[in-house]
């Protein structure tokens, strides 16, 4: 089983709709992240959470909100989706005490806003 | 902010070594250099990291310049499965993946 899972894997929605992307992890990591990836722009950080009570804005948080329901779950919401939020979204986790302090990424959610 | 510079793209023949360069001239003395790769339709995955000494693991080798202003990820024998985007990231910029180097492996 995958350590970091994302649901849904693909989603098509319309402008103005509220959308929630979910991320779950079984790695036991305290730190979780949401990124978006656009062609030619690399990955950009949206929000991050260093533990259940800690939420921080990343580089491009406008138009997004997050919820850290538990250590294992970190959800990303688009309150009112717009077409330029069409992108590939990745969730990631990390353990700062881990041997390599690397980030572990989920498989991604492809979101299309019409 | 420790900026990095990588070539946008590189090509390699299958089963030949590949040297992927990264310039990080403003890196601080305590920043590690992390390398990730992103295979098509997947999330990035960790490859290797180092501070000063050259490092080896089952995936690759990392050669770090003595002045730490540059590093090179070495794939000893490129395979088709190594076709990916490779990112070089200093610790302080660990959330900024940039656009990396897109590696094409030619059969």
């Amino acid at each position: 089983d995958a350590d970091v899972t994302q649901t849904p894997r693909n989603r098509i929605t319309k402008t103005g709709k509220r959308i929630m992307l979910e991320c779950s992890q079984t790695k036991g990591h305290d730190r979780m992240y949401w990124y978006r990836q656009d062609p030619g722009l690399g990955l950009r950080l949206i929000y991050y959470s260093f533990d259940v009570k800690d939420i921080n804005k990343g580089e491009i948080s406008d138009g997004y909100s997050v919820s850290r329901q538990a250590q294992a779950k970190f959800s990303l919401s688009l309150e009112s989706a717009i077409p330029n939020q069409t992108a590939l979204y990745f969730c990631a986790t990390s353990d700062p005490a881990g041997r390599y302090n690397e980030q572990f990424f989920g498989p991604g959610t492809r979101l299309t806003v019409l | 902010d420790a900026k990095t510079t990588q070539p946008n793209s590189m090509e390699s023949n299958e089963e030949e070594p590949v040297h992927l360069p990264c310039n990080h001239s403003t890196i601080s003395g305590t920043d590690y250099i992390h390398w990730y790769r992103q295979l098509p339709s997947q999330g990035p995955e960790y490859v290797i990291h180092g501070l000063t000494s050259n490092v080896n693991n089952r995936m690759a080798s990392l050669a770090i310049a003595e002045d730490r202003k540059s590093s090179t990820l070495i794939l000893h024998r490129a395979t088709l499965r190594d076709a990916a985007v490779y990112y070089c990231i200093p610790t302080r910029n660990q959330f900024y993946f940039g656009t990396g180097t897109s590696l094409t492996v030619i059969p």
Side-chain angles (χ1 to χ4, degrees):
Chain A
D1 289 341
D3 295 317
V4 184
T5 57
Q6 294 183 233
T7 55
R9 294 294 313 279
N10 289 282
R11 181 70 183 268
I12 300 174
T13 191
K14 295 181 178 180
T15 297
K17 294 291 187 181
R18 183 178 188 274
I19 297 296
M20 178 179 286
L21 309 182
E22 300 189 351
C23 177
S24 294
Q25 54 114 345
T26 59
K27 301 191 73 67
H29 291 170
D30 284 329
R31 297 186 175 187
M32 298 187 73
Y33 314 86
W34 275 105
Y35 293 87
R36 67 175 276 175
Q37 186 171 35
D38 299 274
L41 292 180
L43 277 78
R44 291 181 291 168
L45 185 65
I46 306 172
Y47 271 95
Y48 62 102
S49 169
F50 282 175
D51 65 42
V52 175
K53 297 180 181 179
D54 176 76
I55 301 289
N56 303 281
K57 293 182 178 180
E59 182 185 2
I60 53 163
S61 59
D62 287 349
Y64 302 95
S65 62
V66 291
S67 172
R68 184 79 184 268
Q69 300 95 323
Q71 185 200 43
K73 296 185 182 297
F74 193 34
S75 300
L76 177 72
S77 293
L78 288 68
E79 297 300 327
S80 180
I82 57 177
N84 75 2
Q85 291 178 311
T86 293
L88 190 54
Y89 290 84
F90 289 103
C91 173
T93 75
S94 72
D95 174 10
R99 184 176 178 186
Y100 303 123
N101 193 23
E102 73 269 36
Q103 295 181 61
F104 296 86
F105 285 80
T109 294
R110 186 170 297 280
L111 177 66
T112 302
V113 183
L114 301 176
Chain B
D1 188 17
K3 294 192 180 299
T4 61
T5 303
Q6 299 179 255
N8 289 331
S9 61
M10 293 184 64
E11 287 186 350
S12 173
N13 293 319
E14 192 176 12
E15 298 188 3
E16 291 187 356
V18 182
H19 291 231
L20 299 164
C22 180
N23 288 321
H24 35 76
S25 58
T26 60
I27 195 172
S28 79
T30 57
D31 277 338
Y32 282 80
I33 294 297
H34 304 260
W35 283 80
Y36 286 77
R37 72 177 185 181
Q38 185 175 17
L39 302 172
S41 301
Q42 296 187 26
E45 62 176 349
Y46 166 84
V47 176
I48 199 168
H49 78 289
L51 184 62
T52 55
S53 303
N54 294 345
V55 184
N56 301 291
N57 67 18
R58 64 175 180 82
M59 293 180 69
S61 296
L62 178 60
I64 301 173
E66 194 170 337
D67 63 8
R68 293 196 357 106
K69 293 184 177 181
S70 66
S71 61
T72 301
L73 181 71
I74 302 167
L75 308 179
H76 295 284
R77 290 183 69 224
T79 70
L80 297 179
R81 291 190 300 271
D82 291 323
V85 177
Y86 288 80
Y87 301 96
C88 158
I89 307 169
T91 303
R92 69 179 56 220
N93 285 1
Q94 61 182 304
F95 305 133
Y96 297 93
F97 279 70
T99 54
T101 297
S102 179
L103 175 66
T104 299
V105 180
I106 302 168

